[in-house]
Amino acid sequence: MTTDPRTTDPRATDSRTTAPRTTDPRAPRRAPAGAAVLREDVTDAIRTAVFEELAAVGFARMSIEGIARRAGVGKTAVYRRWKSKLALVLDLVSAFAAQGLPAPATGSLYGDVRALLEVASHALRHPVASQVIPDLLVEAARHPEISDAIKAALLDGQQGIAAVIVRAAVERGELPEGADADRALDLIVGPLYWRLVVVRGELPKGYLDDLAASAVAALSR
């Protein structure tokens, strides 16, 4: 009869009763591999592709396949990061809102208003933004999540900047106490948005100067 070496060799132990090995806490941990690693350059390429795809075909016709093709990646790379195109767009809009813009501090109400108009006009004239924003506003009527994200990206940030501008003007004595920041935002950015996004017209020479002066005059009444 053959003898089991585990019953005769005292150094042998049953795998079921072996005490667990302890890990040296000083040993470096292995980096996660495979799907656990999300390359940042791939994520950036997908985000860029989303904006381009939105501008080209709109949200309704946009697809994960089209985004992946434009980004030069497989669909799996997109789904690893976002579960749907809605989740992807919401993430991008929220990230855009989180970036924020510093409130201008030129030392005068006119200067602050003019600076805000300059920044807003560059953003609204961007070919991608000029097509993406109107399309998302239409989709916001169907998707409350998009509506909330758009509000945070387009309204909340601008309201904060307008509040800073108005507060500084009140402290300088250029505006009376209780000046309405929401009204200021309507007067400053409203006409610009109408011309660039709704009418899609060009800005005549000196338009921003005239608009800033008109907004300041209306606020100072």
Side-chain angles (χ1 to χ4, degrees):
M1 181 176 66
T2 302
T3 304
D4 189 339
R6 290 179 297 176
T7 63
T8 59
D9 188 347
R11 295 171 299 176
T13 57
D14 190 331
S15 60
R16 292 172 296 179
T17 60
T18 300
R21 295 181 180 179
T22 58
T23 303
D24 186 349
R26 296 169 297 179
R29 294 182 178 179
R30 291 195 309 169
V37 177
L38 298 180
R39 288 171 46 187
E40 195 61 34
D41 60 329
V42 173
T43 302
D44 291 341
I46 294 172
R47 285 182 171 135
T48 299
V50 172
F51 279 116
E52 294 174 351
E53 194 75 358
L54 277 171
V57 303
F59 179 83
R61 295 175 57 195
M62 185 180 73
S63 66
I64 296 296
E65 290 81 358
I67 294 168
R69 184 168 53 251
R70 190 180 290 272
V73 301
K75 290 191 297 181
T76 303
V78 181
Y79 281 118
R80 282 176 182 168
R81 293 160 173 81
W82 300 277
K83 63 181 181 180
S84 66
K85 70 175 185 178
L86 177 59
L88 208 169
V89 170
L90 291 178
D91 177 65
L92 291 185
V93 173
S94 299
F96 176 78
Q99 292 177 2
L101 291 173
T106 64
S108 71
L109 177 58
Y110 174 83
D112 288 351
V113 170
R114 180 63 177 77
L116 177 57
L117 286 171
E118 187 71 32
V119 172
S121 67
H122 279 295
L124 293 175
R125 277 185 289 190
H126 190 283
V128 173
S130 65
Q131 297 180 51
V132 169
I133 292 175
D135 184 63
L136 289 181
L137 288 175
V138 171
E139 293 299 328
R142 305 185 185 97
H143 300 280
E145 303 96 328
I146 292 182
S147 177
D148 293 340
I150 290 293
K151 180 179 181 296
L154 299 182
L155 181 59
D156 293 352
Q158 294 297 311
Q159 282 179 326
I161 293 175
V164 172
I165 291 175
V166 168
R167 183 164 58 249
V170 170
E171 293 173 352
R172 288 191 299 262
E174 294 179 282
L175 290 178
E177 288 285 348
D180 189 346
D182 288 343
R183 177 170 177 265
L185 184 61
D186 292 344
L187 290 170
I188 297 168
V189 181
L192 184 65
Y193 182 87
W194 174 264
R195 177 176 284 269
L196 290 179
V197 179
V198 180
V199 179
R200 296 181 180 270
E202 294 295 325
L203 297 183
K205 183 178 180 179
Y207 176 82
L208 295 183
D209 296 332
D210 293 341
L211 182 55
S214 298
V216 169
L219 290 170
S220 302
R221 293 176 54 184

